[in-house]
Amino acid sequence: MKHNRADFPLDFQFGVATSSYQIEGHAQGGAGTTHWDSFAATPGNVAKGENGDVACDHYNRFEADLDLIKDAGFDCYRFSTSWARILPEGRGPVNSQGLDFYDRLTDALLERNIKPCATLYHWELPSPLADLGGWRNRDIANWFADFAEVIMGRIGDRMFSVAPINEPWCVSWLSHFEGHHAPGLRDIRATAHAMHHVLLAHGRAIEAMRGLGLSNLGAVFNLEWAEPADDSSESQKAAQLYDGIYNRFFLGGVFNKSYPENVLEGLEPHLPFNWQDDFDTIGAPVDWCGLNYYTRKLIARTATTWPALKEVPGPLPKTQMGWEIDPAALSRFLIRTARDHTGDLPIYVTENGMASPERQQDTDRIDYLDQHLAEVRKALEHGVPINGYFVWSLLDNYEWALGYEKRFGLVDVDFETLERTPKASYRALQTALARD
Ligand code: PNW
């Protein structure tokens, strides 16, 4: 790689990220069913109808997987905790096997001197709560805060950092407006409610964890740079609206206690009553901000109902996901986020990486990581307080609606044998992260 540890501040943290449903193998250990199980079982939603029942079987193989993290030289491991594994009904009775699993995982990380960075929710909502309306139901903020207390009551004392929710845009817009993720709705009112409730749930969980005495609590957002497809003022406005919906709505709610005007123009009639009254909870102080960055989009207007946006194919090189590679947008985002939202608060790049069909010699991934780390360094030189960078992902895994074909791992997984094989990118990072 073109960079190594010495190019970054002394206490800069390098990490790798995964999520529970994507790697654990959900159908074991007494976990309850989730809305992803039913979504995946409905024909047409997921490539080949694949689901997370077995995934990488990390549930049984976590010790060996943590050895891989250790041997690569990572400082931190960002994992998520499955709500339905811990509370099979979403509320009420605890599955002690589930709590035990995260307890063992935590200790196994500490034994290896790897810092545990937990995300409480990375998308597998327990089915009984989904049946009650899931993210459309305001009560979810309290159900979620209760879950936060259960899991962090057990492992919170040993966490390096905790974030309640991974990517509020995906939880709400992608899942309730675009219908690409569970629950697969296409409804603006459901979307607006989910957008607001996911932030409210975030804030309630922060309050609950403060109550437990936890510190180093954060929020994790996914950002996509919106570029006007052409220089018409229409496309310019469209790109600003895309930016508002995708990026500024969620950052604004948590850090500025407000939603962007250009989004409210269309969304306000669909938001829950008295949404303005929730900003003290939504904006509960956090200790850091996590940004997940992969790509940019070219945006133009279309003649449909609000928001009337369309994505236009762009000219940049693309990953296996078909996502354009635009490293420069990462430093722009880091600088802008500090300027407009987070000020002096530490920022972490909590996900960055690419899908590639190359299962061994993934030099495309090495280039991708190199180019994005260069942008992190640029933003650091600019004075942005960036404390760490996490690669998505350790293992090839269940890439949601796209199933197992899209491979984001530094380590190849053979989904027949579940055998793990480090790729060239893993070796390159191992060299870059070595301490002398
Ligand atoms: C992130 N989009 O998800 C997630 O945190 C991971 O679970 C996922 O595997 C990774 O990125 C790669 O996709 C996203 O459609 C999924 O815009 C989809 C979108 C964005 C982020």
Side-chain angles (χ1 to χ4, degrees), residues 62-63 66 70 75 77 79 102-117 155-161:
F62 71 92
E63 296 266 4
L66 301 195
K70 175 79 196 155
D75 311 298
Y77 175 47
F79 64 98
Y102 294 110
D103 195 59
R104 283 184 283 133
L105 179 76
T106 299
D107 285 341
L109 283 166
L110 295 178
E111 274 162 30
R112 290 167 179 78
N113 207 15
I114 303 166
K115 296 181 173 71
C117 304
I155 65 171
D157 56 331
R158 285 157 287 159
M159 292 300 110
F160 173 70
S161 67

Side-chain angles (χ1 to χ4, degrees), residues 19 22 78 122-123 166-167 169-170 174 178 180-181 222 224 242 246 292 294-295 297 321 323 351 392 397-400 408:
S19 91
Q22 292 180 275
R78 177 172 175 257
H122 199 127
W123 308 353
N166 180 63
E167 303 185 340
W169 179 87
C170 288
L174 185 66
E178 298 187 6
H180 293 160
H181 281 189
N222 55 311
E224 237 178 45
Y242 188 93
Y246 204 107
N292 298 349
Y294 293 94
T295 189
K297 292 277 161 63
M321 296 291 277
W323 293 351
E351 287 180 25
W392 182 271
N397 60 47
Y398 181 62
E399 182 49 36
W400 305 109
F408 274 92

Side-chain angles (χ1 to χ4, degrees), residues 340-356:
D340 294 354
H341 306 289
T342 57
D344 296 334
L345 217 60
I347 293 178
Y348 290 85
V349 176
T350 31
E351 287 180 25
N352 179 234
M354 73 176 282
S356 164

Side-chain angles (χ1 to χ4, degrees), residues 88-168:
E89 300 293 318
R91 312 176 276 179
V94 170
N95 170 34
S96 58
Q97 286 181 80
L99 276 183
D100 290 348
F101 171 69
Y102 294 110
D103 195 59
R104 283 184 283 133
L105 179 76
T106 299
D107 285 341
L109 283 166
L110 295 178
E111 274 162 30
R112 290 167 179 78
N113 207 15
I114 303 166
K115 296 181 173 71
C117 304
T119 303
L120 300 185
Y121 181 80
H122 199 127
W123 308 353
E124 67 274 65
L125 186 69
S127 302
L129 302 183
D131 293 343
L132 293 173
W135 293 103
R136 288 167 288 155
N137 186 336
R138 182 180 175 90
D139 293 342
I140 198 162
N142 291 328
W143 303 332
F144 184 62
D146 290 346
F147 161 56
E149 283 184 353
V150 171
I151 177 62
M152 284 303 135
R154 178 70 178 267
I155 65 171
D157 56 331
R158 285 157 287 159
M159 292 300 110
F160 173 70
S161 67
V162 187
I165 287 170
N166 180 63
E167 303 185 340

Side-chain angles (χ1 to χ4, degrees), residues 117-363:
C117 304
T119 303
L120 300 185
Y121 181 80
H122 199 127
W123 308 353
E124 67 274 65
L125 186 69
S127 302
L129 302 183
D131 293 343
L132 293 173
W135 293 103
R136 288 167 288 155
N137 186 336
R138 182 180 175 90
D139 293 342
I140 198 162
N142 291 328
W143 303 332
F144 184 62
D146 290 346
F147 161 56
E149 283 184 353
V150 171
I151 177 62
M152 284 303 135
R154 178 70 178 267
I155 65 171
D157 56 331
R158 285 157 287 159
M159 292 300 110
F160 173 70
S161 67
V162 187
I165 287 170
N166 180 63
E167 303 185 340
W169 179 87
C170 288
V171 175
S172 53
W173 194 272
L174 185 66
S175 311
H176 296 77
F177 189 80
E178 298 187 6
H180 293 160
H181 281 189
L185 301 181
R186 292 189 167 81
D187 180 284
I188 189 62
R189 186 168 182 277
T191 303
H193 281 62
M195 289 167 86
H196 186 70
H197 293 153
V198 73
L199 293 180
L200 186 63
H202 154 83
R204 289 280 300 110
I206 293 288
E207 291 171 351
M209 291 191 287
R210 294 283 181 215
L212 295 175
L214 269 62
S215 53
N216 210 16
L217 308 180
V220 174
F221 306 87
N222 55 311
L223 302 184
E224 237 178 45
W225 192 264
E227 198 66 37
D230 52 68
D231 28 288
S232 69
S233 65
E234 288 231 309
S235 295
Q236 218 114 35
K237 264 185 84 172
Q240 280 163 7
L241 180 55
Y242 188 93
D243 182 39
I245 291 171
Y246 204 107
N247 307 311
R248 289 187 183 273
F249 183 89
F250 303 100
L251 284 164
V254 170
F255 294 107
N256 309 87
K257 297 192 179 188
S258 66
Y259 294 147
E261 276 307 318
N262 65 343
V263 178
L264 286 175
E265 269 171 32
L267 200 71
E268 149 77 269
H270 308 291
L271 281 170
F273 284 127
N274 299 331
W275 54 273
Q276 297 94 335
D277 296 346
D278 290 326
F279 280 123
D280 281 341
T281 300
I282 290 173
V286 291
D287 307 304
W288 54 272
C289 171
L291 304 179
N292 298 349
Y293 174 76
Y294 293 94
T295 189
R296 69 125 187 218
K297 292 277 161 63
L298 290 186
I299 304 297
R301 238 184 92 87
T302 172
T304 52
T305 54
W306 191 89
L309 301 175
K310 70 169 180 213
E311 295 169 10
V312 179
L316 302 178
K318 295 182 183 58
T319 71
Q320 190 189 19
M321 296 291 277
W323 293 351
E324 284 190 294
I325 302 176
D326 183 10
L330 176 56
S331 55
R332 288 203 293 271
F333 257 136
L334 289 164
I335 293 166
R336 190 183 89 171
T337 301
R339 187 195 67 198
D340 294 354
H341 306 289
T342 57
D344 296 334
L345 217 60
I347 293 178
Y348 290 85
V349 176
T350 31
E351 287 180 25
N352 179 234
M354 73 176 282
S356 164
E358 185 47 68
R359 295 183 57 179
Q360 297 301 325
Q361 290 305 317
D362 57 340
T363 49

